[in-house]
Amino acid sequence: MTEKYGVRFEFRPFIKVEHIGAQEFRKQHVNLEEVTSVVFSSKGGADHFFKLCEELRFKVSDQMKYVCKSEAIGNYLQNYIQLRKRKVFCANGTTKDLIAVMEKHATENFLFSLPDGNNEALLAMLDNTKLKYQVGLMYRTVSNDFGPDETLDAYDMLVFYSPEGINALKKNFPNFEQGEKYIACLGETTAKAIADAGLRLDVPVNCQGSKYRSLLEALTDFLKENYKGSHR
């Protein structure tokens, strides 16, 4: 894509992930001894769960089961456990299907490994079930501050993956004006954050009304339609 359309991609994260340490986690009063199944909605959730267990000196039982939002997350667990049948259960990538998989194992006492913030929709769905679960906030997303001399002037498009990225944009560049700069995003909640910030969303992906489920596919089509032979 870079050579074909003469564009340059640069990864400059607006956000970063911070681990919630053992001391702060204890204040949540999560009873790990009661947990029989851990639920992961991201690979990061797995990383922070096992890191916390190490910090807490909690030995994870060999009988522990795991429910993962996608098969990719399930396969990622081999970095921490020996994968076995009837131990790791995977959904198809949606929250609705994740809860459906949990309901197939309704006798389990679940622990959700989650980030701090933006869990309202998930928790609302869980409250409509009869599942027994605890929530463990194990990491948080914070602004990755830009330096005083950094600007966004050189970029024609900004791509966001989470609402926290929009919050970081507003924090770092409070006087940001979109003008002719394009904005792309992944996910419904990110699209809402863009709208709430008074910005224009040009390339929505995996959002209501969008035909795209892949950011690569969306950007490829965007460049086909807008490419005029030189960098804009």
Side-chain angles (χ1 to χ4, degrees), residues 7-231:
V7 296
R8 178 173 58 88
F9 294 92
E10 182 175 326
F11 181 71
R12 175 60 170 92
F14 278 77
I15 56 176
K16 60 184 176 181
V17 174
E18 285 186 349
H19 178 67
I20 290 178
Q23 183 176 359
E24 186 175 352
F25 181 75
R26 287 191 183 97
K27 296 178 182 178
Q28 300 178 40
H29 304 293
V30 174
N31 190 340
L32 293 175
E33 297 289 349
E34 291 184 351
V35 176
T36 60
S37 181
V38 188
V39 185
F40 299 123
S41 58
S42 70
K43 294 178 182 178
D47 290 334
H48 292 283
F49 168 74
F50 287 104
K51 183 176 181 179
L52 263 173
C53 288
E54 185 177 341
E55 293 173 355
L56 295 166
R57 297 178 183 175
F58 175 77
K59 180 174 173 54
V60 181
S61 169
D62 289 338
Q63 304 305 312
M64 186 73 78
K65 296 178 182 178
Y66 303 91
V67 178
C68 302
K69 190 173 182 178
S70 69
E71 188 174 345
I73 299 170
N75 291 334
Y76 183 74
L77 291 185
Q78 65 186 329
N79 291 309
Y80 297 102
I81 64 170
Q82 184 177 353
L83 297 182
R84 297 174 184 168
K85 269 188 174 182
R86 301 182 182 176
K87 185 172 181 178
V88 178
F89 308 95
C90 300
N92 65 10
T94 67
T95 301
K96 183 178 180 180
D97 191 55
L98 176 65
I99 293 176
V101 173
M102 293 172 65
E103 289 179 323
K104 291 179 181 178
H105 306 275
T107 59
E108 302 292 338
N109 187 345
F110 296 99
L111 171 65
F112 256 95
S113 173
L114 292 173
D116 185 5
N118 294 310
N119 298 311
E120 292 81 3
L122 168 62
L123 296 179
M125 293 176 70
L126 285 170
D127 285 343
N128 289 324
T129 71
K130 296 181 179 179
L131 295 170
K132 186 177 181 181
Y133 70 93
Q134 302 178 75
V135 171
L137 304 179
M138 301 184 182
Y139 56 105
R140 61 171 60 91
T141 303
V142 299
S143 173
N144 191 20
D145 293 341
F146 283 63
D149 297 327
E150 289 187 272
T151 73
L152 302 176
D153 295 345
Y155 303 107
D156 296 298
M157 176 182 284
L158 305 177
V159 182
F160 295 96
Y161 297 88
S162 71
E164 289 82 8
I166 303 301
N167 294 335
L169 171 68
K170 293 161 62 179
K171 176 186 176 183
N172 283 283
F173 305 98
N175 299 318
F176 173 77
E177 293 185 7
Q178 183 174 357
E180 295 184 2
K181 203 178 295 293
Y182 298 112
I183 290 181
C185 88
L186 183 66
E188 197 72 53
T189 56
T190 312
K192 183 178 183 303
I194 290 170
D196 291 345
L199 300 172
R200 183 188 70 252
L201 177 57
D202 302 290
V203 186
V205 181
N206 206 17
C207 304
Q208 186 175 2
S210 172
K211 63 179 181 179
Y212 300 111
R213 292 294 176 264
S214 160
L215 187 60
L216 178 61
E217 179 187 8
L219 291 178
T220 300
D221 276 7
F222 176 84
L223 289 171
K224 285 179 181 177
E225 294 174 8
N226 293 275
Y227 177 66
K228 293 181 172 58
S230 62
H231 191 51

